[in-house]
Short mmCIF file of all heavy atoms in Angstrom, two decimals:
data_model
loop_
_atom_site.label_atom_id
_atom_site.label_comp_id
_atom_site.label_asym_id
_atom_site.label_seq_id
_atom_site.Cartn_x
_atom_site.Cartn_y
_atom_site.Cartn_z
N ASN A 205 61.20 -59.12 -11.80
CA ASN A 205 62.12 -58.61 -10.76
C ASN A 205 61.56 -58.75 -9.35
O ASN A 205 61.95 -57.98 -8.45
CB ASN A 205 62.48 -57.14 -11.04
CG ASN A 205 63.24 -56.98 -12.34
OD1 ASN A 205 64.06 -57.83 -12.70
ND2 ASN A 205 62.98 -55.89 -13.05
N ASN A 206 60.67 -59.71 -9.13
CA ASN A 206 60.18 -59.98 -7.78
C ASN A 206 61.17 -60.87 -7.03
O ASN A 206 62.30 -61.08 -7.46
CB ASN A 206 58.79 -60.62 -7.85
CG ASN A 206 57.76 -59.66 -8.44
OD1 ASN A 206 57.85 -58.44 -8.23
ND2 ASN A 206 56.79 -60.19 -9.15
N GLU A 207 60.74 -61.46 -5.91
CA GLU A 207 61.60 -62.33 -5.12
C GLU A 207 61.93 -63.61 -5.87
O GLU A 207 61.12 -64.12 -6.65
CB GLU A 207 60.92 -62.67 -3.78
CG GLU A 207 60.71 -61.47 -2.86
CD GLU A 207 62.03 -60.91 -2.36
OE1 GLU A 207 62.98 -61.72 -2.21
OE2 GLU A 207 62.11 -59.69 -2.11
N TRP A 208 63.13 -64.13 -5.62
CA TRP A 208 63.56 -65.37 -6.27
C TRP A 208 62.83 -66.56 -5.66
O TRP A 208 62.67 -66.65 -4.45
CB TRP A 208 65.06 -65.57 -6.12
CG TRP A 208 65.89 -64.60 -6.90
CD1 TRP A 208 66.42 -63.42 -6.47
CD2 TRP A 208 66.29 -64.73 -8.27
NE1 TRP A 208 67.13 -62.80 -7.46
CE2 TRP A 208 67.07 -63.59 -8.59
CE3 TRP A 208 66.07 -65.70 -9.26
CZ2 TRP A 208 67.62 -63.40 -9.85
CZ3 TRP A 208 66.63 -65.50 -10.52
CH2 TRP A 208 67.38 -64.37 -10.80
N GLU A 209 62.41 -67.50 -6.48
CA GLU A 209 61.82 -68.76 -6.06
C GLU A 209 62.77 -69.90 -6.45
O GLU A 209 63.17 -70.01 -7.61
CB GLU A 209 60.46 -68.97 -6.71
CG GLU A 209 59.43 -67.89 -6.38
CD GLU A 209 58.09 -68.15 -7.05
OE1 GLU A 209 57.89 -69.31 -7.51
OE2 GLU A 209 57.27 -67.23 -7.13
N THR A 210 63.14 -70.75 -5.47
CA THR A 210 64.11 -71.82 -5.69
C THR A 210 63.43 -73.17 -5.67
O THR A 210 62.61 -73.46 -4.79
CB THR A 210 65.22 -71.78 -4.64
OG1 THR A 210 65.84 -70.49 -4.66
CG2 THR A 210 66.28 -72.83 -4.90
N THR A 211 63.77 -74.02 -6.65
CA THR A 211 63.19 -75.36 -6.78
C THR A 211 64.32 -76.38 -6.87
O THR A 211 65.27 -76.21 -7.64
CB THR A 211 62.31 -75.46 -8.03
OG1 THR A 211 61.30 -74.44 -7.98
CG2 THR A 211 61.66 -76.82 -8.14
N GLN A 212 64.21 -77.45 -6.08
CA GLN A 212 65.20 -78.52 -6.08
C GLN A 212 64.95 -79.44 -7.28
O GLN A 212 63.80 -79.81 -7.56
CB GLN A 212 65.14 -79.31 -4.78
CG GLN A 212 66.32 -80.23 -4.54
CD GLN A 212 67.54 -79.48 -4.02
OE1 GLN A 212 67.44 -78.33 -3.60
NE2 GLN A 212 68.68 -80.14 -4.06
N ILE A 213 66.03 -79.82 -7.98
CA ILE A 213 65.94 -80.69 -9.15
C ILE A 213 66.57 -82.03 -8.80
O ILE A 213 67.62 -82.10 -8.14
CB ILE A 213 66.65 -80.06 -10.36
CG1 ILE A 213 66.11 -78.64 -10.61
CG2 ILE A 213 66.44 -80.91 -11.61
CD1 ILE A 213 64.64 -78.57 -10.87
N SER A 214 65.94 -83.10 -9.22
CA SER A 214 66.41 -84.44 -8.89
C SER A 214 67.75 -84.74 -9.58
O SER A 214 68.16 -84.07 -10.53
CB SER A 214 65.37 -85.48 -9.29
OG SER A 214 65.09 -85.38 -10.68
N VAL A 215 68.40 -85.81 -9.09
CA VAL A 215 69.74 -86.18 -9.58
C VAL A 215 69.68 -86.57 -11.05
O VAL A 215 68.78 -87.28 -11.49
CB VAL A 215 70.30 -87.34 -8.73
CG1 VAL A 215 71.68 -87.75 -9.24
CG2 VAL A 215 70.36 -86.96 -7.28
N GLY A 216 70.67 -86.12 -11.81
CA GLY A 216 70.79 -86.47 -13.22
C GLY A 216 69.92 -85.66 -14.16
O GLY A 216 70.09 -85.74 -15.37
N LYS A 217 69.00 -84.89 -13.66
CA LYS A 217 68.11 -84.10 -14.50
C LYS A 217 68.73 -82.74 -14.78
O LYS A 217 69.24 -82.07 -13.88
CB LYS A 217 66.75 -83.93 -13.81
CG LYS A 217 65.67 -83.35 -14.71
CD LYS A 217 64.33 -83.33 -14.00
CE LYS A 217 63.24 -82.78 -14.90
NZ LYS A 217 61.93 -82.73 -14.20
N GLN A 218 68.68 -82.34 -16.03
CA GLN A 218 69.29 -81.07 -16.45
C GLN A 218 68.28 -80.21 -17.21
O GLN A 218 68.61 -79.57 -18.21
CB GLN A 218 70.53 -81.32 -17.30
CG GLN A 218 71.62 -82.09 -16.55
CD GLN A 218 72.91 -82.18 -17.34
OE1 GLN A 218 73.70 -81.23 -17.38
NE2 GLN A 218 73.13 -83.32 -17.98
N SER A 219 67.06 -80.21 -16.73
CA SER A 219 66.02 -79.35 -17.32
C SER A 219 64.96 -79.10 -16.27
O SER A 219 64.82 -79.86 -15.30
CB SER A 219 65.40 -80.01 -18.56
OG SER A 219 64.76 -81.23 -18.21
N HIS A 220 64.22 -78.02 -16.47
CA HIS A 220 63.15 -77.67 -15.53
C HIS A 220 62.05 -76.97 -16.30
O HIS A 220 62.30 -76.17 -17.22
CB HIS A 220 63.68 -76.75 -14.43
CG HIS A 220 62.62 -76.31 -13.47
ND1 HIS A 220 61.94 -77.18 -12.65
CD2 HIS A 220 62.11 -75.06 -13.21
CE1 HIS A 220 61.06 -76.50 -11.92
NE2 HIS A 220 61.15 -75.22 -12.24
N CYS A 221 60.79 -77.28 -15.93
CA CYS A 221 59.63 -76.74 -16.62
C CYS A 221 58.92 -75.74 -15.73
O CYS A 221 58.64 -76.02 -14.55
CB CYS A 221 58.67 -77.87 -17.01
SG CYS A 221 57.13 -77.30 -17.75
N ILE A 222 58.61 -74.58 -16.29
CA ILE A 222 57.77 -73.57 -15.63
C ILE A 222 56.42 -73.61 -16.34
O ILE A 222 56.30 -73.19 -17.50
CB ILE A 222 58.41 -72.17 -15.71
CG1 ILE A 222 59.79 -72.20 -15.05
CG2 ILE A 222 57.52 -71.14 -15.05
CD1 ILE A 222 60.54 -70.88 -15.17
N ASN A 223 55.42 -74.11 -15.66
CA ASN A 223 54.12 -74.36 -16.29
C ASN A 223 53.36 -73.07 -16.59
O ASN A 223 53.29 -72.17 -15.74
CB ASN A 223 53.26 -75.25 -15.39
CG ASN A 223 53.84 -76.65 -15.23
OD1 ASN A 223 54.33 -77.22 -16.19
ND2 ASN A 223 53.78 -77.18 -14.02
N LEU A 224 52.79 -73.03 -17.81
CA LEU A 224 51.88 -71.96 -18.24
C LEU A 224 52.40 -70.58 -17.83
O LEU A 224 51.82 -69.88 -17.00
CB LEU A 224 50.48 -72.20 -17.66
CG LEU A 224 49.84 -73.53 -18.05
CD1 LEU A 224 48.51 -73.68 -17.34
CD2 LEU A 224 49.67 -73.63 -19.55
N PRO A 225 53.50 -70.16 -18.40
CA PRO A 225 54.05 -68.85 -18.03
C PRO A 225 53.18 -67.71 -18.53
O PRO A 225 52.39 -67.85 -19.47
CB PRO A 225 55.41 -68.84 -18.72
CG PRO A 225 55.23 -69.74 -19.90
CD PRO A 225 54.29 -70.82 -19.44
N CYS A 226 53.33 -66.58 -17.91
CA CYS A 226 52.61 -65.36 -18.30
C CYS A 226 53.27 -64.79 -19.56
O CYS A 226 54.48 -64.55 -19.57
CB CYS A 226 52.65 -64.35 -17.15
SG CYS A 226 51.95 -62.75 -17.56
N SER A 227 52.47 -64.58 -20.59
CA SER A 227 53.03 -64.17 -21.88
C SER A 227 53.59 -62.75 -21.85
O SER A 227 54.48 -62.42 -22.63
CB SER A 227 51.98 -64.29 -22.97
OG SER A 227 50.85 -63.47 -22.67
N HIS A 228 53.07 -61.89 -20.97
CA HIS A 228 53.53 -60.50 -20.93
C HIS A 228 54.43 -60.23 -19.73
O HIS A 228 54.67 -59.07 -19.39
CB HIS A 228 52.33 -59.55 -20.91
CG HIS A 228 51.42 -59.74 -19.72
ND1 HIS A 228 50.39 -60.67 -19.72
CD2 HIS A 228 51.41 -59.16 -18.50
CE1 HIS A 228 49.78 -60.62 -18.54
NE2 HIS A 228 50.37 -59.72 -17.79
N CYS A 229 54.94 -61.30 -19.08
CA CYS A 229 55.82 -61.14 -17.91
C CYS A 229 57.27 -61.41 -18.32
O CYS A 229 57.54 -62.02 -19.35
CB CYS A 229 55.41 -62.08 -16.78
SG CYS A 229 53.77 -61.74 -16.11
N ARG A 230 58.15 -60.98 -17.45
CA ARG A 230 59.59 -61.17 -17.66
C ARG A 230 60.10 -62.21 -16.67
O ARG A 230 59.96 -62.04 -15.46
CB ARG A 230 60.33 -59.84 -17.48
CG ARG A 230 61.85 -59.92 -17.71
CD ARG A 230 62.46 -58.54 -17.53
NE ARG A 230 63.88 -58.52 -17.83
CZ ARG A 230 64.84 -58.76 -16.93
NH1 ARG A 230 64.51 -59.04 -15.67
NH2 ARG A 230 66.10 -58.72 -17.29
N TYR A 231 60.72 -63.29 -17.21
CA TYR A 231 61.25 -64.37 -16.38
C TYR A 231 62.78 -64.33 -16.41
O TYR A 231 63.38 -64.22 -17.49
CB TYR A 231 60.76 -65.73 -16.87
CG TYR A 231 59.30 -65.99 -16.60
CD1 TYR A 231 58.31 -65.44 -17.42
CD2 TYR A 231 58.90 -66.78 -15.53
CE1 TYR A 231 56.97 -65.67 -17.17
CE2 TYR A 231 57.56 -67.02 -15.28
CZ TYR A 231 56.60 -66.46 -16.11
OH TYR A 231 55.27 -66.70 -15.85
N GLU A 232 63.38 -64.45 -15.24
CA GLU A 232 64.83 -64.51 -15.12
C GLU A 232 65.17 -65.74 -14.29
O GLU A 232 64.61 -65.95 -13.21
CB GLU A 232 65.36 -63.24 -14.45
CG GLU A 232 66.87 -63.16 -14.38
CD GLU A 232 67.35 -61.85 -13.77
OE1 GLU A 232 66.48 -61.03 -13.40
OE2 GLU A 232 68.57 -61.66 -13.65
N ALA A 233 66.09 -66.57 -14.78
CA ALA A 233 66.38 -67.86 -14.14
C ALA A 233 67.88 -68.09 -14.09
O ALA A 233 68.65 -67.60 -14.94
CB ALA A 233 65.69 -69.00 -14.87
N LYS A 234 68.31 -68.88 -13.08
CA LYS A 234 69.71 -69.29 -12.93
C LYS A 234 69.75 -70.66 -12.26
O LYS A 234 68.78 -71.09 -11.63
CB LYS A 234 70.50 -68.26 -12.12
CG LYS A 234 69.91 -67.94 -10.75
CD LYS A 234 70.66 -66.81 -10.06
CE LYS A 234 70.02 -66.49 -8.70
NZ LYS A 234 70.72 -65.38 -8.00
N VAL A 235 70.90 -71.34 -12.37
CA VAL A 235 71.03 -72.72 -11.90
C VAL A 235 72.35 -72.88 -11.15
O VAL A 235 73.35 -72.23 -11.48
CB VAL A 235 70.98 -73.72 -13.08
CG1 VAL A 235 70.90 -75.15 -12.57
CG2 VAL A 235 69.82 -73.42 -14.01
N GLN A 236 72.34 -73.76 -10.12
CA GLN A 236 73.57 -74.18 -9.45
C GLN A 236 73.47 -75.66 -9.15
O GLN A 236 72.36 -76.23 -9.18
CB GLN A 236 73.84 -73.38 -8.17
CG GLN A 236 72.82 -73.56 -7.08
CD GLN A 236 73.18 -72.80 -5.81
OE1 GLN A 236 72.43 -72.84 -4.85
NE2 GLN A 236 74.30 -72.12 -5.79
N SER A 237 74.59 -76.31 -8.87
CA SER A 237 74.59 -77.76 -8.69
C SER A 237 75.65 -78.17 -7.67
O SER A 237 76.52 -77.38 -7.29
CB SER A 237 74.83 -78.46 -10.04
OG SER A 237 76.02 -77.99 -10.62
N ARG A 238 75.57 -79.46 -7.25
CA ARG A 238 76.55 -80.04 -6.32
C ARG A 238 76.53 -81.56 -6.47
O ARG A 238 75.62 -82.13 -7.07
CB ARG A 238 76.23 -79.65 -4.89
CG ARG A 238 74.98 -80.28 -4.33
CD ARG A 238 74.82 -79.99 -2.85
NE ARG A 238 73.57 -80.57 -2.32
CZ ARG A 238 73.19 -80.45 -1.05
NH1 ARG A 238 73.94 -79.77 -0.18
NH2 ARG A 238 72.07 -81.01 -0.64
N MET A 239 77.53 -82.21 -5.89
CA MET A 239 77.59 -83.67 -5.90
C MET A 239 76.50 -84.23 -5.00
O MET A 239 76.24 -83.71 -3.91
CB MET A 239 78.95 -84.14 -5.42
CG MET A 239 80.13 -83.69 -6.30
SD MET A 239 80.04 -84.30 -7.99
CE MET A 239 80.22 -86.05 -7.73
N ASP A 240 75.87 -85.31 -5.45
CA ASP A 240 74.76 -85.93 -4.71
C ASP A 240 75.25 -87.15 -3.92
O ASP A 240 76.43 -87.54 -4.00
CB ASP A 240 73.67 -86.32 -5.70
CG ASP A 240 72.42 -86.82 -5.00
OD1 ASP A 240 71.78 -86.02 -4.31
OD2 ASP A 240 72.13 -88.02 -5.15
N ASN A 241 74.32 -87.77 -3.18
CA ASN A 241 74.64 -88.95 -2.37
C ASN A 241 75.19 -90.10 -3.19
O ASN A 241 75.92 -90.95 -2.66
CB ASN A 241 73.41 -89.42 -1.59
CG ASN A 241 73.13 -88.54 -0.39
OD1 ASN A 241 74.04 -87.93 0.16
ND2 ASN A 241 71.87 -88.48 0.01
N ASN A 242 74.81 -90.18 -4.47
CA ASN A 242 75.30 -91.27 -5.31
C ASN A 242 76.83 -91.30 -5.38
O ASN A 242 77.42 -92.37 -5.58
CB ASN A 242 74.72 -91.18 -6.72
CG ASN A 242 73.22 -91.38 -6.73
OD1 ASN A 242 72.64 -91.88 -5.77
ND2 ASN A 242 72.58 -90.96 -7.81
N CYS A 243 77.43 -90.15 -5.25
CA CYS A 243 78.89 -90.06 -5.29
C CYS A 243 79.41 -89.28 -4.08
O CYS A 243 80.39 -88.54 -4.20
CB CYS A 243 79.35 -89.39 -6.57
SG CYS A 243 78.84 -90.24 -8.07
N ALA A 244 78.77 -89.44 -2.94
CA ALA A 244 79.13 -88.73 -1.71
C ALA A 244 78.72 -87.26 -1.82
O ALA A 244 79.39 -86.46 -2.49
CB ALA A 244 80.61 -88.85 -1.39
N ARG A 245 77.61 -86.94 -1.14
CA ARG A 245 77.07 -85.58 -1.23
C ARG A 245 78.08 -84.56 -0.73
O ARG A 245 78.71 -84.72 0.32
CB ARG A 245 75.78 -85.47 -0.44
CG ARG A 245 75.27 -84.04 -0.30
CD ARG A 245 73.91 -83.99 0.32
NE ARG A 245 72.91 -84.47 -0.62
CZ ARG A 245 71.61 -84.60 -0.30
NH1 ARG A 245 71.20 -84.31 0.92
NH2 ARG A 245 70.76 -85.01 -1.20
N SER A 246 78.20 -83.49 -1.48
CA SER A 246 79.11 -82.42 -1.10
C SER A 246 78.43 -81.44 -0.16
O SER A 246 77.21 -81.26 -0.20
CB SER A 246 79.61 -81.71 -2.35
OG SER A 246 80.42 -80.61 -2.03
N ASP A 247 79.24 -80.78 0.65
CA ASP A 247 78.73 -79.74 1.55
C ASP A 247 78.63 -78.39 0.86
O ASP A 247 78.10 -77.44 1.46
CB ASP A 247 79.64 -79.61 2.78
CG ASP A 247 79.68 -80.89 3.60
OD1 ASP A 247 78.68 -81.64 3.56
OD2 ASP A 247 80.72 -81.14 4.25
N PHE A 248 79.10 -78.31 -0.37
CA PHE A 248 79.18 -77.01 -1.05
C PHE A 248 78.42 -77.05 -2.38
O PHE A 248 78.57 -78.00 -3.15
CB PHE A 248 80.65 -76.63 -1.31
CG PHE A 248 81.52 -76.66 -0.10
CD1 PHE A 248 82.37 -77.72 0.15
CD2 PHE A 248 81.48 -75.61 0.82
CE1 PHE A 248 83.18 -77.75 1.27
CE2 PHE A 248 82.28 -75.64 1.95
CZ PHE A 248 83.14 -76.71 2.18
N TRP A 249 77.62 -76.02 -2.59
CA TRP A 249 76.99 -75.81 -3.89
C TRP A 249 77.95 -75.03 -4.79
O TRP A 249 78.77 -74.25 -4.33
CB TRP A 249 75.68 -75.03 -3.75
CG TRP A 249 74.55 -75.83 -3.19
CD1 TRP A 249 74.20 -75.93 -1.88
CD2 TRP A 249 73.62 -76.63 -3.92
NE1 TRP A 249 73.10 -76.74 -1.73
CE2 TRP A 249 72.72 -77.19 -2.98
CE3 TRP A 249 73.45 -76.94 -5.27
CZ2 TRP A 249 71.67 -78.03 -3.36
CZ3 TRP A 249 72.40 -77.78 -5.64
CH2 TRP A 249 71.53 -78.31 -4.70
N SER A 250 77.80 -75.25 -6.08
CA SER A 250 78.57 -74.46 -7.03
C SER A 250 78.05 -73.02 -7.05
O SER A 250 76.99 -72.72 -6.48
CB SER A 250 78.46 -75.06 -8.44
OG SER A 250 77.15 -74.86 -8.96
N GLY A 251 78.77 -72.17 -7.73
CA GLY A 251 78.26 -70.82 -7.93
C GLY A 251 77.07 -70.83 -8.87
O GLY A 251 76.83 -71.79 -9.62
N TRP A 252 76.28 -69.74 -8.85
CA TRP A 252 75.12 -69.63 -9.75
C TRP A 252 75.60 -69.40 -11.18
O TRP A 252 76.59 -68.71 -11.42
CB TRP A 252 74.21 -68.50 -9.32
CG TRP A 252 73.43 -68.77 -8.07
CD1 TRP A 252 73.69 -68.30 -6.82
CD2 TRP A 252 72.26 -69.59 -7.95
NE1 TRP A 252 72.77 -68.76 -5.92
CE2 TRP A 252 71.87 -69.56 -6.59
CE3 TRP A 252 71.50 -70.35 -8.84
CZ2 TRP A 252 70.76 -70.25 -6.11
CZ3 TRP A 252 70.40 -71.04 -8.37
CH2 TRP A 252 70.03 -70.99 -7.03
N SER A 253 74.87 -69.97 -12.09
CA SER A 253 75.16 -69.73 -13.50
C SER A 253 74.78 -68.29 -13.86
O SER A 253 74.10 -67.59 -13.10
CB SER A 253 74.37 -70.70 -14.38
OG SER A 253 72.97 -70.45 -14.27
N GLU A 254 75.19 -67.89 -15.02
CA GLU A 254 74.82 -66.56 -15.50
C GLU A 254 73.31 -66.54 -15.78
O GLU A 254 72.78 -67.43 -16.45
CB GLU A 254 75.59 -66.23 -16.78
CG GLU A 254 75.42 -64.81 -17.26
CD GLU A 254 76.28 -64.51 -18.46
OE1 GLU A 254 76.99 -65.42 -18.91
OE2 GLU A 254 76.23 -63.37 -18.95
N PRO A 255 72.58 -65.56 -15.26
CA PRO A 255 71.12 -65.55 -15.44
C PRO A 255 70.72 -65.45 -16.92
O PRO A 255 71.41 -64.81 -17.72
CB PRO A 255 70.68 -64.30 -14.66
CG PRO A 255 71.80 -64.01 -13.72
CD PRO A 255 73.04 -64.44 -14.42
N VAL A 256 69.63 -66.11 -17.23
CA VAL A 256 69.04 -66.00 -18.57
C VAL A 256 67.65 -65.40 -18.42
O VAL A 256 66.99 -65.55 -17.39
CB VAL A 256 68.96 -67.37 -19.28
CG1 VAL A 256 70.32 -67.86 -19.64
CG2 VAL A 256 68.23 -68.39 -18.42
N VAL A 257 67.19 -64.71 -19.47
CA VAL A 257 65.95 -63.93 -19.40
C VAL A 257 65.04 -64.34 -20.54
O VAL A 257 65.49 -64.58 -21.67
CB VAL A 257 66.26 -62.42 -19.46
CG1 VAL A 257 64.97 -61.61 -19.52
CG2 VAL A 257 67.08 -62.00 -18.25
N TRP A 258 63.77 -64.44 -20.25
CA TRP A 258 62.73 -64.65 -21.27
C TRP A 258 61.53 -63.79 -20.89
O TRP A 258 61.18 -63.66 -19.72
CB TRP A 258 62.29 -66.11 -21.31
CG TRP A 258 61.24 -66.38 -22.36
CD1 TRP A 258 61.44 -66.78 -23.64
CD2 TRP A 258 59.82 -66.26 -22.20
NE1 TRP A 258 60.25 -66.91 -24.30
CE2 TRP A 258 59.22 -66.60 -23.43
CE3 TRP A 258 59.00 -65.88 -21.13
CZ2 TRP A 258 57.84 -66.58 -23.63
CZ3 TRP A 258 57.63 -65.87 -21.34
CH2 TRP A 258 57.07 -66.22 -22.57
N GLY A 259 60.91 -63.18 -21.90
CA GLY A 259 59.72 -62.39 -21.60
C GLY A 259 59.61 -61.18 -22.48
O GLY A 259 60.12 -61.13 -23.59
N SER A 260 58.94 -60.15 -21.94
CA SER A 260 58.62 -58.97 -22.72
C SER A 260 59.86 -58.23 -23.18
O SER A 260 59.88 -57.65 -24.26
CB SER A 260 57.74 -58.02 -21.89
OG SER A 260 58.39 -57.68 -20.67
N ASN A 261 60.93 -58.25 -22.38
CA ASN A 261 62.14 -57.53 -22.75
C ASN A 261 63.11 -58.38 -23.53
O ASN A 261 63.93 -57.87 -24.28
CB ASN A 261 62.85 -56.99 -21.49
CG ASN A 261 62.02 -55.95 -20.78
OD1 ASN A 261 61.19 -55.29 -21.40
ND2 ASN A 261 62.22 -55.81 -19.48
#
Side-chain angles (χ1 to χ4, degrees):
N205 296 324
N206 295 327
E207 295 293 329
W208 291 94
E209 300 180 16
T210 303
T211 304
Q212 193 80 14
I213 307 301
S214 58
V215 179
K217 191 175 181 181
Q218 299 187 79
S219 63
H220 178 64
C221 175
I222 301 176
N223 294 320
L224 301 176
C226 174
S227 60
H228 60 273
C229 296
R230 181 179 184 271
Y231 288 79
E232 185 177 0
K234 55 186 179 180
V235 189
Q236 65 177 179
S237 55
R238 69 173 178 180
M239 298 299 294
D240 187 66
N241 283 333
N242 294 343
C243 301
R245 171 172 288 176
S246 175
D247 298 332
F248 306 102
W249 286 92
S250 70
W252 288 103
S253 66
E254 188 176 0
V256 291
V257 175
W258 181 93
S260 57
N261 295 334

